[in-house]
Amino acid sequence: MTDNAQQQPTAPSTELPTQYAPADVERTLYERWVERGYFAADAKSDKPAYTIVIPPPNVTGSLHLGHAFQHTLMDALTRRKRMQGFEALWLPGMDHAGIATQNKVEQQLAEEGKSRHDLGREEFVERVWQWKEEYGGKILGQMRRLGDGVDWDRERFTMDEGLSKAVQTIFKKLYDDELIYRAERIINWCPRCLTAISDIEVEYQEDDGELVSIKYGEGEETLVVATTRAETMLGDTAVAVHPDDERYRHLVGKRIKLPLTDRTIPVVADTHVDPEFGTGAVKVTPAHDPNDFAIGQRHGLEAITVMDERAVITAHGPFQGLDRFEARSAIVGALRSQGRIVAEKRPYVHSVGHCSRCKTTIEPRLSMQWWVKVGPLAQAAGDAVRDGRVKIHPEDMSKRYFDWVDNMHDWCISRQLWWGHRIPVWYGPDGEVVCVGPDEQPPTGEGWTQDTDVLDTWFSSGLWPFSTLGWPEQTADLRKFYPTDVLLTGHDIIFFWVARMMMFGLYAMDGEVPFRTIALTGLVRDERGKKMSKSFGNVVDPLDWMDKYGSDAVRFTLARGANPGTDVPIGEDWVQASRNFANKIWNATRFALMNGATVEGPLPDAAEMSATDRWILSRLNETVAEVDAFYDDFQFAKLSDSLFHFAWDEVFDWYVELSKTTFQAGGRGAEVSQRVLGEVLDVTLKLLHPVVPFVTDTLWTTLTGGESVVIADWPKDSGFRDQAAEREIETLQSVITEVRRFRADQGLQPGQRVPARLTLDGTALAPHEAAIRQLLRLQPEGDAFTATATLPVAGAEVALDLSGTIDVAAERKRLAKDLAAAEKEKAQATAKLGNEAFLAKAPDNVVDKIRGRLAKAEEDITRLQTQLNRLPEA
């Protein structure tokens, strides 16, 4: 099954502390792994490559449960592949996080009474680099706490020299291929961050606003329009109606008076207008609404900007200098005084976009920006999934991917920031525009200036799978580790990151996909399934749980909840249960070592093994096969659950307990079981290692004397199966379980000994009498034995003498009383469910509750009658 010879430089130790203390183990053990180079990948190796793309966390960030969740799964995949003999690369790094990082430093400056403009661009950028060195990257240390098996020698940063060269290279290539262009369009503008943001960086939420209906024009040439943004009317340049709307056909082509101004505006006919919505007439503000901008383009309308970058009104008149929200109230008041407000609705709940970084209400704004023409790039990204070169897992998530890439708008990539990759375009004194590649000299001379904008952070992170491996240079790393194998990430950033990497990877790497599989996870939620949010007060710092319960416990809890594409609820009770599991592994291994468990030498022949030995080895091999299948299907919850139940239920609760009598008896049987137990623990610890790395490495090295389980061979299914042994032990388990249940029903303490006669001859249970007596605390029958209760189970018979342990008469009286109560409950529930009038009137939940009471009563009656039948007559 496994070969430990190369992993046994020293004799195994039998010494383990009585309790597992994660804090005493984890930090030291992790540093040992790193120092020994276990996570370093070698591009010159002849092993097959396995590469995982890490979503680069923000340089400003710290480890939250979402990180811990995804990193646990990525680490498990990588550790397993490394043990399977792959040259596994999991490359760490961080994203420069343009807006978030600039905001951090600007907040620092504000505390000093300064702004970035006081420093100037170069000094401000230098200040950001200083902040990054001093405060950034905290999350990298936290990744070590979690146990991330990343290759720290290859750590990258999206603003480092190599990645900056990659950014400039692809920008130049896209520009030369006419896939990057500059144009004036409506963009999402954040008046707080003072930059454009992309559609996917806008968070929509239901806000309380107002809907006002305003009368435009005079006399018979009057139209009523409704708006939630009255302040933008100062920039209206038309009113639009549907060309087939008979109500307004006589006005199309005419000009009407725009209230509060000295301008007249035309009435235009446009099919975009829905005649069934509202009054069927809409105001058109081309400089402040994307739909209006499109109408304006079709009809040649002027675009008048009426707000500055801070959303302050710039239009001449009494509203100039007011904030947009102040202006909204003032304008509605002025219109009301003129009798032009036809209707008002407050509150009017509607969906409003907010900046995902600072939560400020975004403002659609006409602006000159840089754009990526995504059409051909998105087409290639869609085709790569459609033709099977890239698999999306779970497959039903493909629809969300296609919905995005098949309907993608051109991407605004410029940001009005100073921190980030500056756009490599220079403008000359006579209107010249020059895009400069990384190995080209920018133009010099009087009047030449570089574009002041920087690129969207997602532009550089979209290059991550290949830029981190050395592209645009054709490096050994790129040849060895690209394409990558798996991108494991949350389904919520398909749009942000996954599609960007697909587009850029296929474009830059001549049609080669950036990854072969996209494994999408859900999001971590609290134990009630509620989204974690500071406003809800349910955000958990995983580091607190790591301090309290150990990193393994946090990892196992997260993995055990990880069903593909499904959100993951997590609560502290579950982490505590995982800590108990780690303790159980520890105690079982400690017992095994104290009883001579060994991995030395080959396994004994099956003929020498007991049915218990053959059973556990058969189940072990089935578990190996099952876990492998689940890993290959990214079923982390199922593989974790399989390992939990095999380890706890079958190895620790049954095999270890059944082996105690064998070890006490000694001889060849004990030697065989010592080797089988060693084998079972060896393989089980290896199977558990990718998810719970710390406790398993500590135990495995103690058990085997090997250097580290990190570099041990992954277990293989030997093919050994013994169905007969499995059936025999299942029968044994049923006997022990049934008698234990009876003992509990009679109120006997678990350790209380009871005289018993076992009739096992002619059954598969005969060889197990010693184990049955030990596990059930059954004494030999003795001369004065009286069978007061007889249990026929699995073809055998267990007769118990309870005369000295319970008052049979009192017990029969108690059971009879409980039985009468259960029968009364059944009668009442049956009567209600048989009443048609009641069923017609009662709510469904009430009827369901009564059905549940009936089922419970019937179950209690069966149980109590069985207990009474087993007791002798008093």
Side-chain angles (χ1 to χ4, degrees):
M1 194 173 299
T2 57
D3 178 9
N4 294 307
Q6 63 180 6
Q7 292 291 324
Q8 296 176 25
T10 59
S13 166
T14 59
E15 293 297 320
L16 276 176
T18 55
Q19 291 185 326
Y20 177 49
D24 296 342
V25 171
E26 292 178 350
R27 292 179 189 271
T28 303
L29 188 53
Y30 185 83
E31 293 309 317
R32 186 186 308 153
W33 292 338
V34 173
E35 288 167 7
R36 291 180 176 177
Y38 293 159
F39 308 138
D42 183 2
K44 298 177 182 178
S45 167
D46 57 3
K47 296 179 183 178
Y50 182 81
T51 316
I52 279 195
V53 177
I54 190 172
N58 287 353
V59 66
T60 60
S62 59
L63 191 78
H64 56 63
L65 271 175
H67 291 128
F69 170 54
Q70 292 181 358
H71 285 215
T72 293
L73 305 188
M74 287 185 277
D75 194 36
L77 290 172
T78 313
R79 285 177 182 269
R80 172 176 175 256
K81 285 296 183 180
R82 190 177 290 116
M83 294 172 75
Q84 286 182 317
F86 286 78
E87 196 63 38
L89 172 61
W90 188 24
L91 185 148
M94 294 183 298
D95 190 281
H96 65 279
I99 296 176
T101 310
Q102 179 156 321
N103 281 347
K104 289 280 187 185
V105 179
E106 289 197 82
Q107 287 166 12
Q108 268 191 352
L109 290 173
E111 292 171 4
E112 301 170 14
K114 298 178 182 177
S115 75
R116 60 177 160 133
H117 300 286
D118 294 323
L119 273 64
R121 184 168 192 140
E122 287 188 12
E123 190 176 340
F124 176 78
V125 170
E126 180 57 35
R127 178 75 175 257
V128 180
W129 277 108
Q130 291 172 7
W131 182 94
K132 184 256 182 186
E133 294 304 316
E134 188 171 353
Y135 301 105
K138 178 170 65 173
I139 193 171
L140 298 178
Q142 295 166 342
M143 287 164 57
R144 301 171 94 95
R145 279 290 315 276
L146 187 65
D148 282 8
V150 296
D151 187 346
W152 290 109
D153 291 339
R154 283 183 164 85
E155 181 189 332
R156 301 305 298 269
F157 180 54
T158 50
M159 288 279 286
D160 69 29
E161 184 178 351
L163 269 63
S164 295
K165 181 177 182 180
V167 167
Q168 196 171 352
T169 299
I170 201 162
F171 186 99
K172 170 71 170 173
K173 179 174 170 58
L174 289 163
Y175 182 87
D176 290 345
D177 288 345
E178 298 183 350
L179 292 173
I180 279 184
Y181 63 93
R182 192 170 185 241
E184 193 174 42
R185 300 267 185 87
I186 293 286
I187 47 90
N188 303 301
W189 181 265
C190 176
R192 160 63 183 80
C193 298
L194 298 180
T195 181
I197 59 175
S198 64
D199 291 344
I200 52 180
E201 292 170 300
V202 178
E203 294 178 348
Y204 287 91
Q205 65 184 47
E206 297 296 308
D207 286 358
D208 287 345
E210 61 181 357
L211 180 69
V212 294
S213 298
I214 309 167
K215 182 172 65 176
Y216 281 30
E218 303 289 351
E220 294 183 0
E221 297 180 352
T222 298
L223 287 166
V224 175
V225 301
T227 182
T228 58
R229 301 168 68 221
E231 69 279 6
T232 64
M233 68 168 293
L234 301 176
D236 285 359
T237 55
V239 173
V241 298
H242 194 277
D244 297 333
D245 195 332
E246 293 290 343
R247 293 172 294 174
Y248 305 119
R249 183 167 290 178
H250 67 290
L251 292 177
V252 174
K254 293 186 177 181
R255 299 184 71 85
I256 61 174
K257 180 78 166 57
L258 177 65
L260 304 183
T261 72
D262 57 1
R263 292 191 290 116
T264 61
I265 57 176
V267 178
V268 299
D270 196 281
T271 55
H272 170 75
V273 179
D274 180 0
E276 302 299 321
F277 183 77
T279 64
V282 298
K283 60 193 286 298
V284 182
T285 320
H288 292 278
D289 183 273
N291 293 322
D292 293 3
F293 178 77
I295 293 174
Q297 292 286 94
R298 289 193 289 272
H299 296 278
L301 300 177
E302 183 183 4
I304 301 174
T305 299
V306 296
M307 284 182 235
D308 68 9
E309 60 184 9
R310 298 182 185 275
V312 172
I313 301 299
T314 57
H316 291 296
F319 312 108
Q320 187 174 8
L322 294 179
D323 169 81
R324 55 182 164 165
F325 301 121
E326 296 171 336
R328 181 177 300 172
S329 178
I331 287 171
V332 170
L335 291 167
R336 190 183 298 114
S337 68
Q338 293 183 8
R340 289 191 172 274
I341 299 295
V342 176
E344 297 180 67
K345 185 176 181 180
R346 295 189 187 87
Y348 179 71
V349 179
H350 62 134
S351 182
V352 177
H354 295 259
C355 173
S356 62
R357 299 300 195 289
C358 69
K359 311 309 176 187
T360 300
T361 301
I362 63 101
E363 190 64 43
R365 186 169 188 254
L366 186 62
S367 180
M368 183 68 74
Q369 301 285 344
W370 285 94
W371 304 80
V372 171
K373 184 179 180 182
V374 299
L377 303 175
Q379 175 71 45
D383 289 347
V385 174
R386 287 189 173 92
D387 64 23
R389 284 176 290 156
V390 177
K391 304 287 187 185
I392 292 181
H393 187 88
E395 191 175 353
D396 58 11
M397 284 284 178
S398 298
K399 183 180 183 302
R400 296 185 66 179
Y401 176 80
F402 291 131
D403 284 346
W404 179 251
V405 298
D406 292 347
N407 300 286
M408 196 182 297
H409 301 296
D410 283 2
W411 171 20
C412 176
I413 56 172
S414 45
R415 299 290 180 267
Q416 289 64 56
L417 304 171
W418 287 355
W419 172 246
H421 295 101
R422 194 165 174 181
I423 289 177
V425 171
W426 272 255
Y427 305 106
D430 298 318
E432 302 96 331
V433 180
V434 177
C435 180
V436 177
D439 300 319
E440 301 171 350
Q441 289 296 319
T444 57
E446 188 174 348
W448 282 95
T449 58
Q450 186 177 357
D451 195 299
T452 57
D453 289 350
V454 300
L455 288 164
D456 177 10
T457 298
W458 296 102
F459 189 95
S460 51
S461 60
L463 314 181
W464 189 258
F466 52 93
S467 63
T468 53
L469 298 175
W471 188 89
E473 307 303 327
Q474 294 304 306
T475 62
D477 277 358
L478 199 61
R479 288 190 294 272
K480 177 73 174 179
F481 298 111
Y482 192 91
T484 68
D485 289 271
V486 177
L487 168 68
L488 187 145
T489 191
H491 60 65
D492 56 322
I493 61 170
I494 289 177
F495 324 119
F496 285 91
W497 192 45
V498 178
R500 310 298 192 215
M501 288 189 289
M502 286 286 283
M503 292 191 302
F504 282 167
L506 290 160
Y507 174 74
M509 300 301 293
D510 299 321
E512 265 197 301
V513 296
F515 22 74
R516 297 182 178 92
T517 300
I518 300 169
L520 296 171
T521 70
L523 309 178
V524 180
R525 296 183 178 273
D526 71 12
E527 63 267 34
R528 296 178 182 85
K530 193 173 184 179
K531 179 181 178 182
M532 288 193 175
S533 165
K534 290 181 181 178
S535 61
F536 296 152
N538 62 349
V539 174
V540 173
D541 184 345
L543 295 165
D544 291 341
W545 281 351
M546 288 184 212
D547 290 340
K548 195 171 182 180
Y549 303 110
S551 297
D552 283 336
V554 174
R555 289 171 62 115
F556 192 72
T557 305
L558 290 165
R560 204 172 176 195
N563 290 297
T566 304
D567 288 348
V568 182
I570 184 172
E572 186 167 2
D573 288 350
W574 305 338
V575 183
Q576 187 172 355
S578 295
R579 188 272 311 273
N580 295 343
F581 180 49
N583 289 341
K584 187 80 169 180
I585 303 169
W586 184 272
N587 292 333
T589 306
R590 189 166 177 270
F591 164 85
L593 290 167
M594 291 170 64
N595 284 277
T598 180
V599 297
E600 295 179 3
L603 281 171
D605 290 338
E608 285 194 279
M609 296 180 189
S610 67
T612 308
D613 292 331
R614 298 194 306 277
W615 160 73
I616 197 63
L617 288 176
S618 182
R619 289 292 304 122
L620 178 67
N621 278 285
E622 288 178 20
T623 302
V624 170
E626 191 172 70
V627 167
D628 275 334
F630 286 144
Y631 260 116
D632 293 341
D633 198 33
F634 303 99
Q635 297 281 358
F636 295 98
K638 290 182 178 179
L639 73 89
S640 299
D641 216 44
S642 174
L643 284 168
F644 175 85
H645 287 295
F646 174 71
W648 191 306
D649 300 345
E650 298 185 274
V651 179
F652 307 150
D653 277 359
W654 284 108
Y655 182 70
V656 165
E657 292 300 317
L658 291 169
S659 297
K660 287 180 179 178
T661 53
T662 306
F663 293 146
Q664 289 170 2
R668 180 57 182 162
E671 291 176 357
V672 170
S673 290
Q674 286 168 340
R675 179 64 189 91
V676 170
L677 179 55
E679 180 75 6
V680 170
L681 285 175
D682 174 21
V683 174
T684 302
L685 291 170
K686 288 176 179 176
L687 291 173
L688 283 165
H689 172 72
V691 180
V692 284
F694 294 104
V695 68
T696 51
D697 195 41
T698 304
L699 294 175
W700 187 86
T701 52
T702 305
L703 173 71
T704 69
E707 182 183 339
S708 173
V709 72
V710 178
I711 54 172
D713 292 335
W714 183 253
K716 294 180 180 178
D717 176 7
S718 71
F720 177 82
R721 299 289 192 279
D722 192 323
Q723 299 300 323
E726 290 195 35
R727 287 192 297 271
E728 182 174 327
I729 301 304
E730 285 171 7
T731 302
L732 174 61
Q733 290 170 330
S734 69
V735 170
I736 292 172
T737 301
E738 183 68 18
V739 177
R740 280 175 173 167
R741 185 181 296 117
F742 177 77
R743 287 176 56 111
D745 287 343
Q746 306 313 312
L748 298 176
Q749 295 300 313
Q752 191 171 353
R753 294 194 170 275
V754 177
R757 176 191 298 135
L758 303 185
T759 307
L760 308 176
D761 292 345
T763 73
L765 299 172
H768 302 287
E769 179 170 354
I772 292 172
R773 286 190 175 278
Q774 179 163 317
L775 291 176
L776 291 173
R777 304 295 190 269
L778 302 179
Q779 295 176 336
E781 54 192 278
D783 294 337
F785 180 82
T786 302
T788 60
T790 302
L791 283 72
V793 283
E797 187 177 272
V798 179
L800 303 175
D801 183 353
L802 304 178
S803 57
T805 56
I806 65 170
D807 184 334
V808 175
E811 184 64 16
R812 289 189 68 85
K813 186 176 180 181
R814 182 185 70 81
L815 291 172
K817 182 180 178 182
D818 290 347
L819 179 60
E823 288 172 338
K824 181 179 179 181
E825 175 72 5
K826 177 184 176 182
Q828 290 175 341
T830 301
K832 283 192 174 184
L833 293 172
N835 185 334
E836 294 296 335
F838 169 78
L839 293 176
K841 295 179 181 178
D844 290 346
N845 65 315
V846 173
V847 175
D848 289 343
K849 187 174 181 180
I850 293 171
R851 287 192 179 115
R853 284 168 49 191
L854 176 60
K856 175 68 165 53
E858 290 174 337
E859 181 183 310
D860 287 345
I861 289 168
T862 301
R863 175 176 57 82
L864 292 164
Q865 285 178 335
T866 301
Q867 291 179 36
L868 274 168
N869 292 339
R870 286 173 172 172
L871 285 175
E873 293 296 329

